[in-house]
């Protein structure tokens, strides 16, 4: 006889320094249960300021795109490489973002079999600004969902969320300069088609850590069918990614290797690091 | 033929209606609303879909020029200081007294509470006060037959040491042809004794654990829980009424004060340990599920945007949750921390 669904939050945390790449402990991120469970959202919280020891929450004290996450569930990636924390969700409340809290809410629950888990790694951007001598931050991570004792078996396939990002803040690590083209950074690298929900556009000043960056640049984005989403738009993306949401709704499918094309008119500067991502999901065979 | 009440949605007809009542309570007092204050005297079936509340603690303190002098006063969010117990006939809507701001999700930190200034008509001084309001939207509309009444008992815990005026409004629709709902909203909560942060240390943390009688389903049927609410009030704080950098009033904290906690402390104290040693939470239920098996920060369970954990599920009659909170911060500026955890849902009566 099937049981009931029950609430579930799995969480863990670690401390990280600039340039480090760490894996979260897997044990707290997997429930020790014999029933399927679903994850509905991933929550992030990162303290403290990377710029100042200021005691209050403020616009200059959040970690935003400086923390990049990779999520992988068995053979199924949830991220296309390392994706900046703030590129997995639209803006919900700026004050909350200033406090270092972000949440990636899945459009559909990610159902997992007993024993399955989502592994997580985090990378702290090497050139993140910090006026302090010991730039250590604590990063907390939580998966919120439900135990699904009411399911007698797993379905044949499940929805798996996915995010891919063109992150211009990490392409310059070799000092070779940054191409103004996204190339295939916003592609579908998977065999199954991805249903895209929205695009997210964030703009970071790597030198100050502020989330408002300006540049003598123009932003262009085309969808996989060649349609212009924005052409010669302002550098801050305000005409496609309004500051109150930083998101652009998009309904469509990405076939294997299909991609959005993002292009800037000139290479971005250190004070202007666009991070453009798409959010979506695809169906995969369940474990 | 039974009505499928799960299909009743707002906007089904009838005319809009509201029952309202208010009560002023001195600090430490505990009073009943008048038995007829929230009675359906409209003569027709009333479908209630929302309970709105305000708590008003204003016009008790007078300051010559608060905006300039930044005079310090005891002010702030009074939602946690007022508790309410609601019944309708023999049907329990709350499991005992509930902090009133635990009834619903926060509408938004900028609109849920406000510091008000009202000019004295005899001079240029300003009366200051605080005001807070929010709404509890029911998952299913609730029927009130003619003559039915909400019985409310309200307590002012005196956290602000000010009289408060609590106003309750039940809003919905009234009409002869409205369907009859069998759903009853329900809320249970756990409010441990307030933490005194200065007493907690990393080696001897403060811990509070709920019992089987706190976050419990006292309803005679399965409880359809839609969300948990997690509030974190700071009390006993004296601050500048109109803000200031690190000075705050009594408030419901969006975050558990980590940034404020570390104010002025050596960086060696707070860099590595601020989050992981602050207020952490674990939770399990009466079915032996570990709902939060590993201790996580308070706001990782109850998201700061709405202070809720949205999680639809069912709890059996007499089923319960056991929550445990741990505080292990060596020093903070808050005088006292008052967490509250509630579960909100509804049940269907035969």
């Amino acid at each position: 006889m099937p049981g009931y669904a029950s609430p579930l939050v799995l969480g863990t945390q670690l401390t990280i320094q600039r340039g480090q790449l760490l894996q979260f402990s897997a044990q707290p991120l997997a429930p020790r249960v014999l029933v399927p469970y679903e994850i509905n959202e991933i929550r992030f919280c990162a303290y403290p300021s990377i710029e100042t020891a200021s005691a209050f929450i403020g616009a200059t004290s959040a970690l935003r795109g400086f923390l990049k996450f990779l999520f992988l569930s068995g053979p199924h990636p949830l991220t296309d490489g390392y994706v900046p924390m703030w590129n997995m969700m639209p803006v919900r409340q700026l004050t909350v973002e200033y406090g270092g809290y972000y949440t990636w809410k899945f459009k559909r629950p990610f159902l997992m079999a007993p024993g399955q888990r989502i592994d997580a790694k985090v990378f702290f951007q090497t050139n993140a600004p910090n006026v302090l001598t010991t730039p250590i931050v604590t990063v907390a991570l939580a998966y919120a969902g439900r135990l699904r004792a009411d399911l007698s078996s797993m379905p044949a396939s499940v929805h798996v969320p996915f995010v891919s990002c063109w992150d211009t803040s990490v392409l310059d690590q070799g000092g070779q300069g940054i191409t103004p083209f996204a190339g295939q950074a916003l592609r579908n690298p998977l065999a199954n088609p991805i249903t895209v929900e929205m695009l997210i556009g964030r703009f970071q000043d790597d030198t100050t850590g502020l989330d408002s960056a300006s540049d003598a640049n123009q932003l262009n984005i085309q969808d996989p069918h060649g349609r212009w989403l924005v052409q010669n738009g302002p550098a801050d993306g305000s005409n496609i990614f309004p500051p109150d949401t930083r998101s652009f709704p998009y309904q469509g499918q990405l076939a294997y290797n299909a991609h959005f094309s993002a292009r800037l008119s000139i290479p971005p500067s250190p004070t202007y690091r666009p991070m453009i991502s798409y959010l979506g999901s695809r169906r995969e065979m369940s474990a | 033929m039974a009505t499928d009440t799960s299909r009743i949605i707002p906007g089904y007809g009838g005319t809009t209606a509201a029952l309202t009542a208010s009560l002023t309570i001195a600090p430490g007092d505990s009073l009943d609303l008048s038995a007829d204050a929230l009675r359906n005297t409209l003569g027709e079936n009333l479908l209630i879909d929302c309970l709105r509340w305000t708590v008003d603690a204003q016009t008790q303190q007078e300051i010559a020029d608060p905006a300039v002098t930044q005079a310090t006063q005891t002010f702030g969010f009074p939602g946690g200081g007022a508790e309410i117990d609601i019944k309708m006939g023999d049907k329990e809507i709350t499991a005992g007294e509930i902090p009133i701001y635990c009834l619903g999700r926060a509408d938004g930190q900028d609109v849920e509470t406000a510091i008000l200034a009202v000019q004295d008509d005899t001079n240029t001084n300003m009366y200051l006060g605080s005001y807070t309001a929010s709404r509890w939207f029911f998952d299913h509309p609730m029927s009130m037959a003619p003559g039915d009444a909400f019985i409310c008992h309200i307590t002012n815990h005196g956290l602000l040491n000010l009289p408060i005026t609590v106003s309750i409004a039940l809003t919905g629709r009234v009409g002869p042809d409205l369907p009859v709902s069998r759903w009853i909203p329900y809320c249970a909560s756990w409010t441990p004794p307030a933490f005194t942060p200065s007493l907690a240390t990393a080696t001897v943390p403060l811990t509070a654990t709920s019992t089987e009688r706190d976050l419990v389903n006292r309803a005679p049927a399965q409880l359809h829980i839609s969300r948990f609410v997690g509030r974190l009030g700071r009390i006993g704080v004296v601050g500048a009424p109109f803000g200031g950098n690190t000075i705050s009033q009594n408030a419901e904290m969006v975050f558990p004060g980590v940034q404020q906690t570390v104010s002025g402390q050596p960086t060696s104290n707070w860099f590595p340990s601020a989050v992981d040693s602050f207020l952490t939470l674990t939770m399990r239920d009466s079915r032996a599920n570990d709902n939060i098996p590993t201790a996580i920060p308070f706001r990782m369970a109850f998201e700061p945007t709405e202070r809720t954990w949205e999680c639809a599920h069912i709890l059996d009659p007499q089923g319960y949750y056991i929550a445990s909170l741990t505080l292990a911060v060596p020093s903070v500026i808050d005088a006292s921390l008052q967490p509250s955890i509630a579960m909100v849902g509804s049940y269907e009566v035969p």
Side-chain angles (χ1 to χ4, degrees):
Chain A
M1 178 181 170
Y4 300 106
S6 302
L8 176 71
V9 178
L10 307 166
T12 186
Q13 51 199 4
L14 52 75
T15 55
I16 190 169
Q17 301 184 44
R18 281 182 296 183
Q20 278 191 322
L21 191 159
L22 299 175
Q23 177 155 4
F24 288 90
S25 172
Q27 185 268 339
L29 297 179
R32 281 168 287 186
V33 294
L34 299 176
V35 298
Y37 68 104
E38 68 183 27
I39 299 299
N40 297 305
E41 61 184 83
I42 298 177
R43 299 168 180 170
F44 312 82
C45 202
Y47 293 90
S49 163
I50 54 170
E51 297 174 70
T52 168
S54 172
F56 62 98
I57 299 171
T60 63
S61 61
L63 285 157
R64 303 188 183 88
F66 292 110
L67 289 169
K68 335 278 186 185
F69 285 82
L70 180 146
F71 295 108
L72 184 68
S73 177
H76 304 314
L78 279 67
T79 57
D80 186 7
Y82 287 83
V83 173
M85 176 168 62
W86 67 350
N87 273 91
M88 303 176 192
M89 68 290 295
V91 177
R92 293 198 168 86
Q93 274 191 350
L94 272 179
T95 308
V96 169
E97 291 199 349
Y98 294 161
Y101 180 90
Y102 296 83
T103 176
W104 179 11
K105 297 186 178 184
F106 301 160
K107 188 171 184 178
R108 300 176 185 84
F110 179 22
L111 188 63
M112 285 186 279
Q116 199 178 350
R117 67 168 185 265
I118 303 174
D119 287 316
K121 295 180 181 178
V122 60
F123 169 61
F124 191 7
Q125 190 173 315
T126 305
N127 62 342
N130 196 317
V131 298
L132 300 170
T133 54
T134 313
I136 299 175
V137 301
T138 301
V139 184
L141 182 71
Y143 302 155
R146 296 188 301 172
L147 296 168
R148 295 300 304 272
D150 55 324
L151 294 179
S152 55
S153 63
M154 288 285 290
S157 65
V158 295
H159 288 281
V160 182
F162 189 74
V163 58
S164 179
C165 184
W166 179 36
D167 177 5
T168 61
S169 69
V170 297
L171 303 178
D172 197 21
Q173 299 297 315
Q176 301 300 311
I178 300 175
T179 170
F181 305 106
Q184 299 217 336
L186 289 170
R187 76 192 196 287
N188 172 11
L190 309 169
N192 293 326
I194 293 173
T195 301
V196 178
E197 304 154 18
M198 69 178 81
L199 282 82
I200 306 289
R202 305 278 196 165
F203 302 85
Q204 178 169 282
D205 186 332
D206 269 7
T207 62
T208 65
L210 290 170
D211 68 348
S212 58
S214 61
D215 195 55
N217 222 318
Q218 290 180 324
L219 178 65
N220 301 272
I221 303 177
Q222 285 176 286
D223 76 359
H225 307 289
R227 294 183 291 240
W228 287 103
L229 304 183
V230 58
Q231 189 171 17
N232 298 326
D236 65 359
S238 55
N239 63 341
I240 180 172
F241 304 115
D244 59 339
T245 66
R246 284 293 175 202
S247 68
F248 178 76
Y250 182 89
Q251 299 293 324
Q253 279 209 331
L254 278 184
Y256 167 67
N257 221 25
H259 61 90
F260 292 89
S261 299
R263 179 169 58 83
L264 299 165
S265 57
I266 58 174
S269 66
T271 59
Y272 175 69
R273 295 301 193 209
M275 301 171 177
I276 296 170
S277 62
Y278 73 78
L279 294 179
S281 65
R282 81 283 188 183
R283 294 194 74 93
E284 298 281 5
M285 298 294 289
S286 61
Chain B
M1 180 179 157
T3 305
D4 179 7
T5 56
S6 66
R7 298 295 179 191
I8 300 175
I9 57 173
Y12 32 73
T15 56
T16 55
L19 305 179
T20 61
S22 66
L23 181 67
T24 300
I25 317 174
D29 271 2
S30 187
L31 298 173
D32 284 325
L33 268 179
S34 164
D36 288 329
L38 294 175
R39 185 180 300 281
N40 177 7
T41 57
L42 301 171
E44 294 176 325
N45 185 28
L46 182 60
L47 273 179
I48 302 294
D49 47 35
C50 181
L51 184 153
R52 298 159 195 264
W53 54 267
T54 65
V55 180
D56 190 341
Q58 62 179 303
T59 70
Q60 295 299 315
Q61 306 228 14
E62 190 172 7
I63 299 174
D65 195 347
V68 174
T69 63
Q70 293 282 290
T72 56
Q73 298 289 333
T74 302
F75 281 111
F77 194 75
E83 294 198 343
I84 188 166
D85 183 356
I86 310 173
K87 289 183 173 60
M88 191 181 79
D90 60 348
K91 300 179 182 66
E92 288 196 273
I93 294 176
T94 63
E97 293 197 343
I98 307 294
I100 201 164
Y101 66 176
C102 284
L103 292 176
R105 60 165 74 95
D107 286 337
Q109 61 210 35
D110 296 333
V111 298
E112 193 180 35
T113 183
I115 304 292
L116 302 178
V118 180
Q119 188 167 3
D120 186 336
D121 58 1
T122 61
N123 53 40
T124 59
N125 289 358
M126 305 287 270
Y127 289 111
L128 293 178
S130 47
Y131 167 91
T132 182
S134 192
R135 294 164 293 182
W136 178 13
F137 289 107
F138 299 160
D139 297 319
H140 306 271
M142 173 188 174
S143 282
M144 287 184 77
D148 282 351
F150 266 48
I151 306 300
C152 299
H153 184 84
I154 301 171
T155 298
N156 178 0
H157 285 291
L159 300 181
L160 300 178
N161 198 27
L162 296 173
I164 57 172
T165 298
V166 179
S167 301
I168 304 290
L170 302 173
T171 58
R173 288 176 173 264
V174 64
D177 301 324
L178 294 178
V180 175
S181 170
R182 298 189 305 268
W183 288 95
I184 306 293
Y186 183 84
C187 178
S189 78
W190 170 54
T191 302
F195 286 93
T196 304
S198 59
L199 299 180
T201 68
T203 53
V204 186
L206 299 177
T207 300
T209 303
S210 69
T211 72
E212 298 86 343
R213 297 180 297 280
D214 297 311
L215 294 167
V216 61
N217 175 15
R218 294 187 191 172
Q222 285 185 332
L223 184 64
H224 294 243
I225 296 175
S226 53
R227 69 185 62 89
F228 293 93
V229 176
R231 296 285 196 160
L232 197 56
R234 53 196 311 212
I235 55 179
V237 180
V238 175
F242 291 96
N245 284 346
T246 60
I247 299 174
S248 300
Q249 301 81 42
N250 293 280
E252 203 270 321
M253 288 188 289
V254 179
F255 291 98
V258 172
Q259 280 89 346
Q260 287 129 351
T261 295
V262 301
S263 171
Q265 304 301 318
T267 54
S268 57
N269 278 0
W270 57 270
F271 263 124
S273 62
V275 168
D276 57 352
S277 64
F278 200 70
L279 193 64
T280 58
L281 171 70
T282 59
M283 201 164 90
R284 55 192 165 85
D285 66 20
S286 51
R287 297 190 199 115
N289 291 314
D290 276 332
N291 308 108
I292 305 179
T294 308
I296 60 173
F298 196 79
R299 280 288 168 247
M300 296 303 274
F302 310 105
E303 61 169 283
T305 48
E306 297 182 322
R307 276 74 122 189
T308 62
W309 170 11
E310 301 290 334
C311 186
H313 65 284
I314 292 174
L315 187 63
D316 290 323
Q318 303 305 316
Y320 57 85
Y321 288 91
I322 300 291
S324 185
L325 289 165
T326 301
L327 184 68
V329 174
S331 59
V332 296
I333 62 170
D334 290 327
S336 190
L337 294 172
Q338 179 61 73
S340 300
I341 297 174
M343 61 184 200
V344 183
S346 52
Y347 61 96
E348 193 172 18
V349 295

